[in-house]
Amino acid sequence: QAFLCVTSTLSMAVFRDRFVLEDLVEEMKKQSPALNFGPLEADGRISVQGSFPALRGLREFLLLKAKCLSEEDKREGKSHQRLRRKAQEHRGALEMRNSTWDAHRDKHVLVLDTDIYHYMRCFHPEAFQANGVVISGVTEGDITTVCIESAGRGSGAAPALRAKRTIEDRSVELQQLLWKERICFQEQGRGGKRRYRQLCERLEPRYPGVLLVPHDTHVDVVGTPADVLGFIEDVRK
């Protein structure tokens, strides 16, 4: 099994104005005892290592903290807006309606291993295709953050929650199933890299369940252990 844990660097600086960061880190440790936390850096960054489900739990905990701060800021902003409401009454009513809609939009966030995210996109695209929701992904190195939110006013919360559970369940299955190996380019220069890539492309049809992820210095091979090892063996031959 290749995707059992990940190391992620979190920036806690956004909480600095409202929390003592050391106390917040201690709360995070109690919330997620299965994770290993590195030292808190002076700039507010901290490294965290553990399983994807545990990291997802920590992510949702921090998102809830951030949401509470955002709601407090909105309340403070509304108190100031009252002083100018007579001069902006029509526009204020319009903004109020928009704010009410935004508040009722259902939104979920998942953190996935980037290779698993691309594998799902390639071989299980139906997981990202659901009626009534908009699903987007932002990749930052080994981590991809997937955002699932309701697409329209009448769609409600249920479709987004179902889509979240579908993606989450499939990612857990793939974490237990998939394997990844790396083919490093032994020959330097553009010619050597091109030969390796062409070889991998020729072999790819023999292994329809394998995902090739090309990089400047290597190619990652993602799939079931049997397919990945068979592909690697054919490349060596």
Side-chain angles (χ1 to χ4, degrees):
Q1 298 176 1
F3 303 98
L4 297 182
C5 70
V6 69
T7 299
S8 181
T9 301
L10 306 179
S11 176
M12 310 298 296
V14 67
F15 298 104
R16 193 186 297 276
D17 293 339
R18 299 295 183 92
F19 296 99
V20 177
L21 293 188
E22 289 78 5
D23 294 342
L24 180 57
V25 170
E26 290 302 316
E27 188 176 354
M28 291 161 55
K29 291 179 179 179
K30 293 179 182 179
Q31 173 73 21
S32 306
L35 295 174
N36 294 320
F37 292 82
L40 180 65
E41 304 293 341
D43 62 356
R45 293 180 180 273
I46 186 171
S47 63
V48 185
Q49 185 180 59
S51 67
F52 286 105
L55 277 173
R56 277 195 294 264
L58 177 62
R59 174 88 175 191
E60 292 174 0
F61 168 76
L62 292 176
L63 286 173
L64 181 60
K65 288 282 187 184
K67 181 180 179 181
C68 292
L69 293 181
S70 177
E71 290 175 351
E72 289 179 7
D73 292 339
K74 286 181 180 179
R75 285 195 294 270
E76 293 174 1
K78 286 180 181 179
S79 67
H80 292 297
Q81 287 174 5
R82 292 193 192 100
L83 301 177
R84 323 190 278 275
R85 183 169 294 172
K86 289 185 178 180
Q88 301 176 347
E89 184 173 355
H90 178 69
R91 193 181 74 177
L94 200 56
E95 289 175 352
M96 181 81 64
R97 287 195 294 271
N98 290 337
S99 296
T100 301
W101 161 232
D102 289 341
H104 287 84
R105 293 189 71 177
D106 198 56
K107 183 176 181 179
H108 301 278
V109 175
L110 293 173
V111 180
L112 303 180
D113 174 271
T114 294
D115 289 320
I116 288 181
Y117 170 76
H118 288 309
Y119 194 92
M120 290 177 65
R121 278 288 190 186
C122 182
F123 296 105
H124 303 282
E126 71 283 355
F128 299 94
Q129 299 168 358
N131 293 328
V133 298
V134 176
I135 302 174
S136 59
V138 177
T139 297
E140 297 180 5
D142 293 335
I143 295 295
T144 295
T145 302
V146 178
C147 179
I148 306 124
E149 57 185 323
S150 55
R153 188 184 298 269
S155 58
L161 183 58
R162 284 197 299 269
K164 171 183 177 291
R165 289 175 176 169
T166 297
I167 296 172
E168 193 170 29
D169 291 345
R170 184 58 57 88
S171 70
V172 171
E173 293 174 2
L174 293 176
Q175 286 170 27
Q176 299 173 352
L177 175 67
L178 295 180
W179 193 275
K180 180 171 78 172
E181 289 286 347
R182 178 164 295 176
I183 300 175
C184 296
F185 300 140
Q186 298 178 0
E187 299 180 41
Q188 301 300 318
R190 293 183 179 179
K193 295 179 182 180
R194 185 170 59 252
R195 281 191 291 272
Y196 269 97
R197 288 180 177 140
Q198 289 175 346
L199 174 60
C200 290
E201 290 172 0
R202 287 199 301 269
L203 291 173
E204 190 173 12
R206 302 184 190 177
Y207 299 89
V210 161
L211 174 67
L212 299 181
V213 185
H215 298 273
D216 288 339
T217 59
H218 61 275
V219 173
D220 286 331
V221 185
V222 182
T224 64
D227 283 346
V228 170
L229 295 177
F231 189 94
I232 295 294
E233 184 63 25
D234 282 350
V235 170
R236 289 172 179 169
K237 290 179 181 177

